[in-house]
Amino acid sequence: DICQDLQAESVLWKSLFYLLIQYYRNSITTSNSDSGKATLSQQLEEHIGEGISFYNMLVRQIQKRYKVNYKHHTTGHNRSQVLALLLLHKLFLWIGYLYRY
């Protein structure tokens, strides 16, 4: 509940992924050398791949811990399970954003 109130997952997304991706994109755009752009692009791709892996691992852990499955959503969940499903929704949005980049 405290994490929900503080929106810890949003802070994590913004600080570890969104802002860093913006930094890489701006650095690639302003780089004067082709080799610098290539290096930055490779680093960005690696960071995005690590982010996708991180969020997929988090999805699996949340599903296991709270015994929820986003594919077979049914009624009758307790409060923790409902919050877990809401968090899964956010995680899937962020995974989608990472794939978009």
Side-chain angles (χ1 to χ4, degrees), residues 16-49:
L16 289 181
F17 297 102
Y18 178 77
L19 292 175
L20 195 52
I21 288 169
Q22 292 303 92
Y23 166 79
Y24 274 117
R25 292 173 85 185
N26 289 336
S27 296
I28 291 167
T29 302
T30 59
S31 178
N32 294 325
S33 73
D34 289 339
S35 64
K37 287 182 182 186
T39 300
L40 289 166
S41 293
Q42 180 182 0
Q43 291 172 345
L44 174 58
E45 286 178 26
E46 289 173 7
H47 185 69
I48 289 170

Side-chain angles (χ1 to χ4, degrees), residues 23-86:
Y23 166 79
Y24 274 117
R25 292 173 85 185
N26 289 336
S27 296
I28 291 167
T29 302
T30 59
S31 178
N32 294 325
S33 73
D34 289 339
S35 64
K37 287 182 182 186
T39 300
L40 289 166
S41 293
Q42 180 182 0
Q43 291 172 345
L44 174 58
E45 286 178 26
E46 289 173 7
H47 185 69
I48 289 170
E50 289 171 1
I52 291 168
S53 295
F54 169 77
Y55 280 117
N56 281 322
M57 179 265 315
L58 204 54
V59 164
R60 287 189 302 274
Q61 287 183 351
I62 290 168
Q63 286 180 307
K64 183 177 178 181
R65 166 67 175 90
Y66 293 99
K67 297 174 180 56
V68 294
N69 187 335
Y70 67 92
K71 291 181 182 178
H72 305 290
H73 178 66
T74 58
T75 58
H77 294 298
N78 64 38
R79 183 171 177 2
S80 294
Q81 289 174 316
V82 170
L83 291 175
L85 287 168
L86 291 172

Side-chain angles (χ1 to χ4, degrees), residues 3-11 13 55 58-59 62 70 82-98:
C3 288
Q4 181 72 15
D5 292 341
L6 297 175
Q7 296 183 345
E9 70 284 351
S10 295
V11 172
W13 161 254
Y55 280 117
L58 204 54
V59 164
I62 290 168
Y70 67 92
V82 170
L83 291 175
L85 287 168
L86 291 172
L87 179 56
L88 287 174
H89 176 77
K90 287 182 184 181
L91 296 177
F92 287 128
L93 286 174
W94 293 325
I95 290 169
Y97 292 157
L98 289 170

